[in-house]
Amino acid sequence: MKTFCGRANPTTGSMEWLEEGEDYDYHQEIARSRYADMLHDKDRNVKYYQGIRAAVSRVKDRGEKAIVLDIGTGTGLLSMMAASAGADFCYAIEVFKPMANAAVKIVEKNGFSDKIKVINKHSTEVTVGPDGDMQCQANILVTELFDTELIGEGALPTYEHAHKYLVQEGCEAVPHRATVYVQLVESKRMWSWKKLFPIHVEAEDGEKILVPPSEMENCPGVPSVCDIQLNQMPSSDFTTLSDVVTMFSVDFSKPVQSAPTYYRVQLEPVKSGKAQIVLSWWDIDMDPSGMINCTMAPYWVKPTSALQWRDHWMQCVYFLPNEEPVLQGEKLLLTACRDEYSVWYNLQKAREEENKAAEEEHKAGVCVESPVCRCRAHLLWNRPRFGELNDQNRTHQYIKALRRVLKPDSVCLCISDGSLLAVLAHCLGAKQPSRTDLYHPHELWQAFFKANQLEDKIKIIEARPELLKPYHLEDKKISVLVGEPFFTTSLLPWHNLYFWYARTAVSTHLASNVTVLPQSASLHMMIVEFQDLWRIRSPCGTCEGFDVQTMDDMIKNSLNFRESKEAEPHPLWEYPCKSLSDPQEVLTFDFTKTVPQHCLSTEGSVNLLRKGKSHGAVLWMEYHLAADISVSTGLVQISNEKGSCEWNPHCKQAVYFFSSVIESEILSDPTAVTYAINFDTKTGEIAMDFKL
Ligand code: SAH
């Protein structure tokens, strides 16, 4: 069987559908899965085990047989815990076939085949009865179906169904309950992920301020969850305006309803400020008493010493529809609305006389509609991209570079997605800059131009660079070609080299003395030790005494299937690491020339300068706007002698995990890592190999 997989082609900037064998999807899924991260999550595993033991004991103490239903068994871990704890029988349900197969092997290897039946079905397809998948209903319900938003992986409908058909009334549930917490904050940094801030442009004839259109100001944004490693957000980047408040709880031992609903709490700000963001996380109580608690609370709520790092559960950032000035001590109503899979928030001032009316309004279902972007900016720009466009420092670098090269008679073409460069170019004196984007949200640009009296000042060319015709440019030659470069289809840093391909495609339209900005780009590389990120790709061996090597082998096999010579994107501001080598420039790309026919390759070695474990190499791009103006999409600086790295907070860097880790101890005799890196100009992809 064949499947079609969508992949952006970095040489054309467009999506292509490649035919892949049926194994492809499955290997991708396993290789990039969170199973390893879950197995490394000691805190989670220990607490599940405690909760399961306690639940089995409670059932046994009642003189009943312990029949367990484990929905989403994955490796079979929680069923094996139950069987070890004395459960009489476990039904382990797993919808993902390769995982169900793995669970069978792991269960067998650990000697539980007679106690655990693995069923490769979605739980809603499972049948109960003498000829069914399950002989009888279970009296212990064990699951781990949660994502960072708690309900995003469909936990509610799954529980709703299980309580109706698969478990007995009054069953024990592990976890017993989940509670969602919120805290109201003001944060310019996080707010910059949702709103476009005014942009200050210092032009020769004075400062101009570009403002977002009102449609954008009042837009509720997109419903997708914003989940981040909140523990990496320094306390200087936000102000808490309220205490931590319990928003809602779900008791998993009772019937669960998944139908859309809302929860409301009253809160009083502890500080006056601008309410912009609701930070949220949850905890789960593994037993009814709440003694066994596993929490995602961030560092300022929980002592740092007790923090367990994990990537499969993080924290959520919710953006209020509008910024709301609030006063210390005033009464506010915070509403969490949810449908089956997602949550969103609303904040209102609670005025006594309006309380009732507001209640009625909500009963009428006013808030049950999830946020939908009306201004289109939230469809064009994702949250990191909003942050990047709002980065005045970065904008300033482009302004400085543009000011040097633009002349009143410049014919300027911008090639970048959703970029403000053409607008900047106009403010800085270019008469009528043109732009080609891969996606043109007309209404958005019309509104933006109108808000800034820029109608007809910027020409949008609706042709891909390779289809550009002289008439698009009114038969003029381009004297200034600019790009950030940024393209929405890029996954890895070097995919933005599409700018180079586009520049090559428009060659015949360039004036002989054209200025290309950026003039060049370079690929940089550094060897690092990760504080935690290594866990997501590292074998586990045994987990709470159970042999899960089958899973390790499966992941390794899938990594080797296709990905072994590939890097993966990660936003490293969320994943601390220390540099073990100096950053090294490994390849350069000259945008003043066309893309060459031949590959660009390099080989070399890099010395390890610090003690540490070499988990992998990080790669990123730097763009050289002028001889002395560069922007880095990766390393910003190494901030201390220990090698702590500061990364660009808006971009993902490429991480290449080494298949084996070396520990460098001695500095007098430096160890070196040799590398071979090849940029294939035909495909736009980079292949790499490292030897330790
Ligand atoms: N229980 C394991 C794995 C948890 S990951 C552990 O704790 O380590 C969740 C797993 O549940 C995934 O493998 C997913 O494929 C599966 N899953 C999610 N919803 C399901 C459902 N309704 N029925 C069956 N499997 C489900």
Side-chain angles (χ1 to χ4, degrees):
M1 206 180 85
K2 304 269 187 201
T3 58
F4 285 90
C5 298
R7 235 186 191 219
N9 180 335
T11 70
T12 62
S14 46
M15 290 298 284
E16 283 175 2
W17 294 93
L18 303 175
E19 212 179 301
E20 295 279 3
E22 83 175 310
D23 284 354
Y24 181 79
D25 252 1
Y26 139 71
H27 283 299
Q28 279 288 323
E29 188 108 358
I30 297 287
R32 299 281 173 257
S33 72
R34 293 164 185 259
Y35 294 106
D37 183 28
M38 292 188 283
L39 294 175
H40 281 293
D41 187 343
K42 181 84 185 159
D43 180 60
R44 177 197 87 120
N45 300 336
V46 165
K47 285 167 180 168
Y48 260 99
Y49 210 169
Q50 289 173 352
I52 288 169
R53 280 200 197 101
V56 172
S57 299
R58 287 197 301 276
V59 169
K60 293 258 167 184
D61 288 350
R62 295 200 290 260
E64 295 170 25
K65 275 191 161 186
I67 308 296
V68 177
L69 171 64
D70 170 13
I71 302 180
T73 200
T75 52
L77 180 69
L78 305 183
S79 286
M80 293 192 293
M81 288 179 177
S84 301
D88 294 278
F89 202 76
C90 301
Y91 294 101
I93 320 295
E94 176 54 56
V95 66
F96 184 37
K97 186 146 202 270
M99 277 317 300
N101 293 344
V104 170
K105 280 191 210 150
I106 295 171
V107 162
E108 193 180 274
K109 204 168 168 193
N110 287 278
F112 291 111
S113 293
D114 57 333
K115 291 262 187 230
I116 299 173
K117 179 182 178 187
V118 177
I119 301 166
N120 176 208
K121 279 190 176 180
H122 193 269
S123 61
T124 52
E125 305 291 318
V126 169
T127 55
V128 184
D131 302 319
D133 298 313
M134 298 169 66
Q135 289 285 302
C136 61
Q137 288 182 324
N139 53 6
I140 299 178
L141 174 56
V142 177
T143 80
E144 202 273 61
L145 301 166
F146 314 114
D147 68 346
T148 296
E149 204 176 17
L150 188 71
I151 63 171
E153 280 172 15
L156 293 178
T158 294
Y159 270 109
E160 184 170 36
H161 173 272
H163 276 290
K164 275 188 191 147
Y165 304 104
L166 308 179
V167 297
Q168 297 167 19
E169 205 183 312
C171 77
E172 300 287 343
V174 183
H176 177 80
R177 138 182 8 92
T179 307
V180 172
Y181 302 90
V182 295
Q183 192 166 25
L184 198 61
V185 306
E186 170 176 341
S187 167
K188 190 173 178 206
R189 174 165 177 199
M190 288 183 260
W191 198 234
S192 83
W193 300 343
K194 188 202 178 199
K195 293 272 160 170
L196 188 67
F197 296 159
I199 295 165
H200 297 255
V201 188
E202 319 85 41
E204 238 143 59
D205 50 343
E207 189 188 59
K208 293 179 184 156
I209 301 177
L210 296 167
V211 294
S214 58
E215 291 90 324
M216 213 188 274
E217 281 292 273
N218 299 317
C219 181
V222 280
S224 62
V225 67
C226 175
D227 51 346
I228 63 164
Q229 293 282 359
L230 201 49
N231 288 322
Q232 297 311 318
M233 182 69 64
S235 53
S236 52
D237 279 352
F238 61 97
T239 309
T240 54
L241 299 179
S242 80
D243 291 328
V244 176
V245 178
T246 300
M247 199 68 224
F248 65 92
S249 289
V250 187
D251 180 342
F252 295 122
S253 71
K254 305 257 157 55
V256 168
Q257 253 124 47
S258 68
T261 186
Y262 72 92
Y263 312 90
R264 175 176 278 183
V265 294
Q266 195 169 61
L267 54 85
E268 287 172 18
V270 293
K271 208 173 174 181
S272 300
K274 285 180 274 184
Q276 297 164 327
I277 304 283
V278 175
L279 298 179
S280 173
W281 57 89
W282 49 260
D283 67 11
I284 41 182
D285 285 320
M286 296 299 184
D287 69 333
S289 76
M291 294 292 283
I292 313 165
N293 179 272
C294 181
T295 177
M296 307 308 126
Y299 65 89
W300 66 92
V301 180
K302 202 187 160 184
T304 327
S305 58
L307 287 178
Q308 162 77 51
W309 185 88
R310 43 172 76 93
D311 206 37
H312 61 116
W313 293 331
M314 297 181 270
Q315 292 81 23
C316 296
V317 178
Y318 293 99
F319 304 87
L320 288 171
N322 283 300
E323 174 179 286
E324 185 80 51
V326 297
L327 295 172
Q328 182 179 347
E330 81 175 313
K331 288 195 167 47
L332 300 175
L333 291 173
L334 182 66
T335 311
C337 304
R338 68 149 184 82
D339 56 19
E340 282 173 291
Y341 298 95
S342 66
V343 186
W344 59 98
Y345 286 86
N346 263 315
L347 184 71
Q348 288 169 311
K349 308 248 168 176
R351 278 175 234 118
E352 296 295 327
E353 67 280 12
E354 281 177 24
N355 265 356
K356 257 191 113 162
E359 202 59 47
E360 288 307 311
E361 177 191 52
H362 279 279
K363 279 200 183 117
V366 172
C367 94
V368 182
E369 214 170 293
S370 83
V372 178
C373 171
R374 291 185 299 253
C375 74
R376 286 163 205 266
H378 301 92
L379 307 176
L380 177 66
W381 300 318
N382 64 15
R383 288 162 184 139
R385 179 68 169 149
F386 261 98
E388 186 171 50
L389 293 174
N390 280 323
D391 184 339
Q392 273 287 345
N393 219 345
R394 176 179 183 273
T395 306
H396 186 72
Q397 302 297 313
Y398 283 92
I399 291 174
K400 214 162 72 178
L402 279 170
R403 221 171 14 209
R404 278 193 214 163
V405 299
L406 287 173
K407 302 195 182 69
D409 61 348
S410 292
V411 178
C412 175
L413 175 69
C414 303
I415 304 183
S416 264
D417 279 350
S419 173
L420 297 171
L421 280 187
V423 182
L424 296 182
H426 175 75
C427 295
L428 297 168
K431 232 183 254 137
Q432 193 186 32
S434 312
R435 57 182 303 156
T436 81
D437 291 50
L438 297 178
Y439 164 60
H440 300 273
H442 270 281
E443 297 89 336
L444 168 64
W445 288 121
Q446 294 316 328
F448 186 87
F449 295 156
K450 191 157 171 239
N452 293 285
Q453 293 90 48
L454 290 169
E455 293 110 320
D456 306 321
K457 300 282 195 281
I458 289 139
K459 184 174 171 188
I460 295 181
I461 300 175
E462 275 191 75
R464 305 177 51 81
E466 61 273 22
L467 300 176
L468 201 68
K469 294 281 175 305
Y471 69 82
H472 286 127
L473 301 162
E474 288 153 17
D475 294 317
K476 293 195 188 109
K477 294 281 185 196
I478 299 162
S479 57
V480 181
L481 180 70
V482 301
E484 298 193 29
F486 176 94
F487 300 97
T488 48
T489 52
S490 300
L491 294 174
L492 288 160
W494 45 87
H495 291 167
N496 285 322
L497 285 174
Y498 168 62
F499 177 72
W500 201 14
Y501 291 88
R503 176 255 175 263
T504 304
V506 302
S507 286
T508 55
H509 304 284
L510 302 179
S512 58
N513 61 346
V514 65
T515 305
V516 183
L517 187 162
Q519 55 192 11
S520 65
S522 46
L523 178 70
H524 298 248
M525 189 266 292
M526 190 167 75
I527 311 295
V528 303
E529 173 183 274
F530 286 108
Q531 194 177 298
D532 300 293
L533 190 65
W534 59 271
R535 292 170 204 271
I536 67 167
R537 300 286 168 260
S538 155
C540 189
T542 61
C543 180
E544 297 310 306
F546 303 103
D547 181 343
V548 292
Q549 210 194 315
T550 306
M551 187 68 221
D552 294 338
D553 295 344
M554 213 166 129
I555 295 174
K556 201 167 149 205
N557 179 34
S558 288
L559 284 169
N560 287 339
F561 172 71
R562 177 73 58 89
E563 309 294 324
S564 65
K565 299 277 177 279
E566 275 186 22
E568 48 186 283
H570 291 284
L572 289 188
W573 74 265
E574 293 184 66
Y575 303 101
C577 62
K578 71 172 189 179
S579 72
L580 297 186
S581 75
D582 280 334
Q584 193 145 328
E585 182 178 299
V586 284
L587 284 176
T588 56
F589 311 93
D590 183 356
F591 295 160
T592 65
K593 305 211 169 67
T594 56
V595 178
Q597 293 292 312
H598 56 84
C599 293
L600 301 179
S601 314
T602 181
E603 281 179 13
S605 74
V606 48
N607 286 338
L608 298 179
L609 306 172
R610 284 190 187 82
K611 279 188 187 178
K613 296 190 168 91
S614 303
H615 290 129
V618 177
L619 298 100
W620 68 94
M621 298 290 291
E622 294 187 5
Y623 297 104
H624 310 294
L625 309 184
D628 58 340
I629 308 175
S630 293
V631 289
S632 169
T633 65
L635 191 68
V636 176
Q637 64 167 350
I638 294 173
S639 55
N640 56 27
E641 66 289 350
K642 287 194 198 125
S644 306
C645 303
E646 189 189 320
W647 299 97
N648 180 318
H650 316 299
C651 301
K652 287 183 181 178
Q653 292 74 36
V655 177
Y656 181 101
F657 287 100
F658 297 150
S659 45
S660 59
V661 171
I662 59 154
E663 239 182 298
S664 57
E665 286 294 344
I666 3 105
L667 299 177
S668 50
D669 178 22
T671 327
V673 175
T674 60
Y675 59 83
I677 295 175
N678 181 55
F679 176 62
D680 184 341
T681 53
K682 296 270 176 320
T683 63
E685 295 290 356
I686 286 183
M688 58 196 97
D689 199 12
F690 293 86
K691 286 204 176 60
L692 306 173

